């Protein structure tokens, strides 16, 4: 390496100076690499596809391992997402891989809300990152970044055209993630049908204005390869967990009575292209685009929603301090008015309750009065009845007494007459 290098001094118009010896800042890229390698990398893949379309098998094939993924039932009432994180190591590079897969996608009769859970999940990961970023004591170095870097969208191998559910969902997703469409289980579609199917998918995506991830062509070292690969999307992939010995080598393959489909054979399917593009050539671009495009869009929209703006109403730049102060004042005012509203509501509720209690007290009082009057009336009636009965009984008694007395006088008279007659 030559020691005669050029130093650009920043400030003013930037003068260029010649170095007279080795200084050492040419090791800066190495320092950066070492730092990144020590820290490790997060890479997050979202697999969207109908139940049983081969999502887990493809991920296992991509990373040449077996992740413990459970099969999903077809009877789920709504779409949900399963997230698993794995720690992988290749050479001295640590990768924290998060695989998120849809469960029950396309199984419901009403598919209107199929995409909602996916959108919510993606936005939630952005929101988590933003929350960490806005903390006073933030720790983005150790923060587990779960923002989706690559969304592998599994198109069912119908051989006809892409389903409307896929179009609707991709339309919602293209602003949020890097969509990489693939044709699932491509061994079930013939070669001729496959090229027509690919063309039809691209045509449908274009006519619906759906933007899928384009492998970057601005880096000379990979631009030719990426340009070629962009033309081959959607990749027709085959996955397998079975290993077969072909030409003395163990390879992942699917065996059929009529032959063997090798996953990593480019003449059989596009699996290798997908792996090359996503994991080997463009992994950093996927991570970068997620941060600089998709997250940036989310961040700016969320900050605007939160009341932040770069420019004021008079088209003058607004400082963060001013925005914060205005927001704080607005927040305090809002809280005060909320408090006042709640206080008034409370007072009104107390008044209503008091009136309610008063009215029920009045009702009780009236009822008591009514019962008291009714009781007095009943008592008076009873007294009358008693008196009447007593009078009737006395007169009856007197009558009976008079009759008995008359009877007795009659008997005495008759006895006296008898006595006189005997004499
Ligand atoms: P869920 O997670 O339950 O929704 O399923 P999945 O999408 O993860 O599918 P999985 O990988 O479990 O595969 C389902 C079935 O499809 C298994 O029997 C696989 O062997 C088979 N399969 C997976 N990939 C392919 C493929 O490329 N071609 C064919 N023909 N079958 C495949
Ligand atoms: Mg699965």
């Amino acid at each position: 390496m030559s020691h005669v290098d050029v130093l650009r001094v920043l400030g003013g118009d930037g003068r260029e100076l010649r170095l007279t010896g080795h200084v050492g800042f040419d090791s800066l890229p190495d320092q950066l690499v070492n730092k990144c390698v020590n820290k490790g990398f997060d890479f997050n893949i979202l697999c969207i596809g109908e139940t049983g379309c081969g999502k887990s098998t493809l991920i296992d094939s991509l990373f040449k391992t077996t992740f413990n993924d459970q099969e999903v039932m077809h009877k789920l009432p709504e779409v949900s997402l399963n997230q698993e994180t794995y720690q992988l190591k290749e050479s001295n590079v640590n990768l924290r891989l998060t695989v998120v897969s849809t469960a029950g996608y396309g199984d419901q009769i009403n598919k209107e809300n199929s995409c909602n859970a996916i959108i919510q999940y993606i936005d939630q990961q952005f929101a988590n990152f933003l929350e960490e970023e806005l903390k006073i004591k933030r720790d983005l170095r150790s923060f587990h970044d779960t923002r989706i870097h690559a969304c592998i969208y599994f198109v069912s191998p119908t051989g006809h055209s892409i389903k409307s559910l896929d179009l609707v969902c991709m339309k919602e997703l293209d602003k949020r993630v890097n969509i990489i469409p693939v044709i699932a289980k491509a061994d079930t579609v013939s070669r001729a049908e496959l090229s027509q199917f690919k063309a039809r998918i691209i045509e449908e995506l274009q006519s619906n204005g759906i933007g899928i991830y384009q492998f970057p062509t601005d880096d000379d070292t990979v631009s030719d390869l990426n340009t070629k690969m962009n033309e081959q999307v959607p990749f027709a992939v085959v996955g397998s967990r079975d290993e077969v010995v072909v030409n003395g080598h163990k390879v992942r393959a699917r065996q059929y009575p009529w032959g063997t489909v090798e996953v990593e054979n480019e003449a059989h399917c596009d699996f290798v292209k997908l792996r090359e593009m996503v994991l080997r050539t463009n992994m950093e671009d996927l991570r970068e685009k997620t941060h600089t495009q998709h997250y940036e869009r989310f961040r700016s929209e969320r900050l605007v929603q939160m009341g932040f703006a770069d420019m004021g109403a008079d088209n003058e730049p607004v400082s963060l301090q001013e925005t914060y102060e205005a927001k704080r004042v607005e927040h305090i005012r809002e809280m005060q008015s909320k408090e006042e509203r709640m206080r008034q509501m409370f007072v009104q509720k107390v008044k209503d309750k008091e009136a309610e209690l008063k009215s029920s007290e009045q009702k009780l009082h009236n009822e008591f009065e009514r019962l008291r009057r009714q009781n007095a009336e009943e008592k008076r009636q009873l007294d009358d009845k008693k008196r009447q009965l007593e009078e009737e009984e006395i007169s009856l008694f007197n009558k009976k007494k008079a009759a008995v007395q008359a009877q007795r006088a009659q008997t005495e008279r008759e006895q006296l007459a008898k006595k006189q007659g005997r004499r």
Side-chain angles (χ1 to χ4, degrees):
M1 170 153 205
S2 160
H3 283 196
V4 186
D5 288 325
V6 171
L7 171 66
R8 177 173 284 277
V9 180
L10 294 177
D13 54 2
R15 284 185 301 140
E16 281 184 4
L17 296 182
R18 289 210 168 269
L19 302 180
T20 53
H22 182 238
V23 176
F25 60 77
D26 56 354
S27 71
L28 197 54
D30 300 334
Q31 292 172 34
L32 206 63
V33 169
N34 288 341
K35 209 171 186 175
C36 289
V37 168
N38 287 340
K39 181 177 169 265
F41 299 88
D42 282 323
F43 191 66
N44 309 317
I45 301 179
L46 168 63
C47 295
I48 304 178
E50 292 177 4
T51 306
C53 70
K55 301 181 287 296
S56 306
T57 313
L58 188 81
I59 293 294
D60 283 3
S61 308
L62 277 175
F63 289 93
K64 296 190 176 184
T65 184
T66 307
F67 298 111
N68 48 348
D69 210 5
Q70 299 290 317
E71 251 182 45
V72 173
M73 304 300 292
H74 278 275
K75 294 182 199 148
L76 295 181
E78 55 189 31
V79 179
S80 60
L81 294 170
N82 295 333
Q83 174 189 324
E84 291 285 348
T85 299
Y86 309 95
Q87 201 68 50
L88 307 178
K89 188 167 183 154
E90 188 171 28
S91 306
N92 63 340
V93 178
N94 287 307
L95 184 75
R96 182 161 50 178
L97 173 74
T98 299
V99 180
V100 187
S101 282
T102 54
Y105 189 71
D107 284 342
Q108 294 75 33
I109 295 170
N110 181 358
K111 298 188 175 57
E112 219 170 278
N113 302 324
S114 296
C115 204
N116 289 1
I118 303 170
I119 293 167
Q120 266 172 26
Y121 177 86
I122 295 169
D123 284 352
Q124 188 55 51
Q125 310 319 306
F126 285 146
N128 293 348
F129 192 85
L130 181 62
E131 202 177 303
E132 184 63 28
E133 221 182 36
L134 294 178
K135 274 184 187 167
I136 295 172
K137 256 192 165 181
R138 59 187 182 173
D139 187 7
L140 289 173
R141 258 180 77 86
S142 64
F143 176 75
H144 184 191
D145 181 5
T146 49
R147 293 171 299 172
I148 297 298
H149 300 119
C151 166
I152 303 183
Y153 198 103
F154 291 71
V155 176
S156 295
T158 57
H160 288 268
S161 65
I162 193 162
K163 294 182 184 176
S164 53
L165 169 64
D166 298 331
L167 291 173
V168 170
C169 192
M170 283 198 215
K171 187 89 190 150
E172 288 291 333
L173 294 178
D174 70 352
K175 295 179 286 301
R176 294 177 163 87
V177 277
N178 299 314
I179 304 176
I180 302 165
V182 296
I183 297 170
K185 298 188 180 179
D187 52 328
T188 59
V189 187
S190 75
R191 192 181 287 239
E193 280 173 343
L194 205 55
S195 59
Q196 277 180 9
F197 190 33
K198 274 191 180 191
R200 228 172 285 147
I201 291 172
I202 291 298
E203 198 184 295
E204 292 260 27
L205 292 178
Q206 280 172 354
S207 63
N208 285 284
I210 295 166
I212 56 170
Y213 174 68
Q214 294 293 310
F215 304 119
T217 49
D218 47 3
D219 178 351
D220 290 345
T221 53
V222 289
S223 69
D224 285 349
L225 176 68
N226 279 353
T227 310
K228 218 165 85 194
M229 289 298 144
N230 277 330
E231 286 160 13
Q232 307 231 6
V233 170
F235 295 132
V237 294
V238 174
S240 176
R241 290 186 179 107
D242 301 333
E243 289 190 321
V244 179
V245 177
V246 177
N247 297 333
H249 294 290
K250 259 191 174 180
V251 292
R252 284 192 181 237
R254 303 191 72 82
Q255 271 188 313
Y256 295 104
W258 55 89
T260 303
V261 181
E262 293 167 41
V263 171
E264 298 193 26
N265 187 335
E266 291 204 50
H268 293 185
C269 70
D270 299 334
F271 172 83
V272 171
K273 294 187 182 100
L274 176 73
R275 194 177 59 200
E276 283 278 328
M277 286 295 98
V278 175
L279 303 185
R280 196 165 294 171
T281 314
N282 299 307
M283 199 181 214
E284 184 46 27
D285 185 69
L286 284 162
R287 284 161 37 86
E288 193 193 307
K289 280 223 170 80
T290 302
H291 186 69
T292 56
Q293 280 184 15
H294 303 302
Y295 172 65
E296 207 55 32
R297 180 202 58 82
F298 175 87
R299 183 180 168 278
S300 58
E301 279 178 14
R302 192 47 73 88
L303 289 184
V304 169
Q305 272 173 21
M306 286 160 79
F308 290 96
D310 292 336
M311 293 291 184
D314 47 3
N315 230 11
E316 283 290 306
V318 184
S319 78
L320 196 67
Q321 178 79 30
E322 276 173 36
T323 311
Y324 174 73
E325 194 50 40
K327 202 75 203 151
R328 200 175 69 86
V329 171
E330 190 189 322
H331 179 70
I332 291 171
R333 208 176 302 134
E334 221 169 76
M335 288 310 285
Q336 280 170 347
S337 89
K338 208 172 183 177
E339 198 182 320
E340 180 58 23
R341 272 204 309 276
M342 284 187 72
R343 202 184 60 76
Q344 281 177 3
M345 218 151 73
F346 179 73
V347 169
Q348 188 57 43
K349 269 194 178 160
V350 169
K351 272 186 189 163
D352 290 351
K353 203 77 203 167
E354 264 175 15
E356 203 180 298
L357 281 171
K358 249 183 201 159
S359 121
S360 57
E361 192 185 331
Q362 187 61 43
K363 262 189 210 155
L364 275 174
H365 182 76
N366 293 348
E367 183 65 9
F368 174 76
E369 260 314 296
R370 189 185 69 76
L371 286 172
R372 200 183 60 73
R373 259 186 262 119
Q374 186 182 344
N375 190 28
E377 177 64 19
E378 277 172 5
K379 190 168 177 292
R380 193 188 56 73
Q381 281 176 1
L382 275 174
D383 286 348
D384 284 356
K385 193 106 183 160
K386 188 181 163 199
R387 209 176 315 117
Q388 198 181 336
L389 280 172
E390 275 172 2
E391 280 170 9
E392 276 173 11
E393 232 171 85
I394 289 168
S395 99
L396 195 67
F397 174 76
N398 287 341
K399 269 185 199 161
K400 272 188 185 166
K401 190 178 161 191
V404 169
Q405 279 173 348
Q407 180 78 34
R408 197 183 294 160
Q410 176 69 21
T411 316
E412 277 171 4
R413 264 196 310 275
E414 279 172 6
Q415 282 175 349
L416 193 65
K418 258 186 198 169
K419 260 183 202 173
Q420 282 171 351
R422 251 187 265 141
R423 270 193 223 143

